[in-house]
Amino acid sequence: MTGSPGAPADTGANTGLKLDVDGAVATVTLHRPERRNAMTPSMWRGLATIGDSLPPQVRAVVVRGDGPSFSAGIDLRLFSADGVPGEDLADPLSPGFADWLERLQAGFLWLHRPDIVSVAAVRGHALGAGFQLALACDLRVLADDALLCMKEPALGLVPDLAGTKPLVDIVGLPRALELCLTTRMVGAAEARELRLAEMVVPSADLDTAVASLVEALLTPDAATARATKKLLAGAPERTLEQQAAAERTAQAALQRERRAGGSA
Ligand code: CAA
């Protein structure tokens, strides 16, 4: 991973991913526009590799797609007899399946890490795995032409790329169930209502809007941002009293860290 603009991510394969690192901001671009950024297991492993080797100065990660679609989900040719050269799907009944899928899920899970804030910039379709990738990010900015769909059940699959928890956390169980079982498309305006988008902007303004948001998100220093994200992320699992206790602990830890660093 060099961090040079537009450099292919050093994932050991031609994965259809690009990584740009500019100071504290990393931009991960899905780069198969001719296939509407349809994704393969290599791409998901490539995402995991990016997460594993992210330069330590990175504090914000933008995930975007080249071309008119964020991502059309899994490369459907994987389900055909011809397949995709160099790509394989593990047999769900094989003993290695859970480990294989865990590594693919790692490509999504790292985007929730407390030391970074991740933003999905979604233009056009975000279908199936593409929707799950948008859900893997902390925040979503949608172009007004965005269309989201949890397509997996229509293919006889459960959504399994770590997207079901963020979906339920954001929209609640009844709506998550409705979206998954109907596999209907959700447009940008409805996504905003359902809190699946923090912001909806004209398509031409997407990159600028995301850049401004990221700049604003980077206002607090790194230690404060990390401690705040960790504190908020733990809130749903805690009672009010437990959360208040977590605030006390987090504040003391943050200020101790600051004094030890000599910046208070
Ligand atoms: N896999 C492979 N190729 C795809 C693809 C996909 N998911 N989506 C699009 N492409 C290809 C098309 O075959 C087409 O290739 P050719 O030029 O060689 O014909 C090219 O990308 C452009 O596609 P369209 O002409 O269809 O572009 P469009 O802008 O008119 O439509 C679209 C875009 C609505 C996304 C449409 O392509 C589409 O419906 N694609 C399939 C989406 C889908 O069902 N994905 C599976 C989601 S479920 C999932 O992701 C499950 C999981 O994780 C396991």
Side-chain angles (χ1 to χ4, degrees):
M1 190 179 327
T2 62
S4 58
D10 180 16
T11 55
N14 180 16
T15 58
L17 295 171
K18 282 194 302 186
L19 175 68
D20 293 294
V21 178
D22 182 7
V25 183
T27 300
V28 179
T29 301
L30 307 177
H31 183 54
R32 296 180 78 209
E34 73 288 354
R35 294 232 158 250
R36 300 298 181 262
N37 301 319
M39 293 187 279
T40 61
S42 290
M43 284 172 82
W44 296 323
R45 280 190 291 268
L47 283 171
T49 302
I50 290 174
D52 290 345
S53 49
L54 206 62
Q57 82 272 15
V58 170
R59 296 183 46 209
V61 178
V62 175
V63 181
R64 60 185 294 282
D66 263 351
S69 297
F70 180 72
S71 170
I74 195 168
D75 191 320
L76 290 169
R77 294 173 306 157
L78 286 160
F79 297 130
S80 73
D82 288 347
V84 180
E87 299 280 354
D88 269 321
L89 293 176
D91 178 352
L93 302 187
S94 68
F97 175 73
D99 289 345
W100 175 83
L101 183 53
E102 188 176 17
R103 184 61 185 157
L104 305 190
Q105 290 171 329
F108 294 66
L109 287 170
W110 69 271
L111 290 157
H112 294 291
R113 261 166 38 184
D115 57 319
I116 55 167
V117 58
S118 52
V119 181
V122 180
R123 174 177 285 122
H125 291 94
L127 310 182
F131 185 23
Q132 294 195 68
L133 183 58
L135 286 165
C137 293
D138 297 313
L139 308 172
R140 281 150 293 281
V141 180
L142 267 51
D144 51 11
D145 65 353
L147 287 168
L148 313 177
C149 171
M150 199 65 97
K151 182 85 182 282
E152 286 81 347
L155 303 178
L157 300 165
V158 296
D160 64 359
L161 291 167
T164 54
K165 176 148 175 69
L167 181 66
V168 171
D169 285 349
I170 295 168
V171 304
L173 175 58
R175 181 61 69 190
L177 188 57
E178 184 262 325
L179 293 178
C180 289
L181 295 191
T182 65
T183 67
R184 70 181 173 85
M185 296 274 186
V186 175
E190 184 186 0
R192 181 80 189 87
E193 275 171 30
L194 294 178
R195 294 179 298 151
L196 286 165
E198 277 52 59
M199 218 188 285
V200 175
V201 298
S203 188
D205 299 342
L206 183 62
D207 293 340
T208 320
V210 169
S212 308
L213 174 63
V214 166
E215 192 184 344
L217 290 166
L218 290 175
T219 311
D221 65 80
T224 305
R226 185 177 58 241
T228 303
K229 179 172 174 184
K230 208 170 157 194
L231 181 63
L232 294 175
E237 313 305 326
R238 299 189 190 109
T239 65
L240 180 60
E241 289 71 22
Q242 288 168 338
Q243 183 67 7
E247 290 172 359
R248 297 192 289 274
T249 306
Q251 191 68 278
L254 177 62
Q255 302 315 322
R256 190 177 308 117
E257 182 183 341
R258 178 157 299 134
R259 281 181 210 177
S263 58

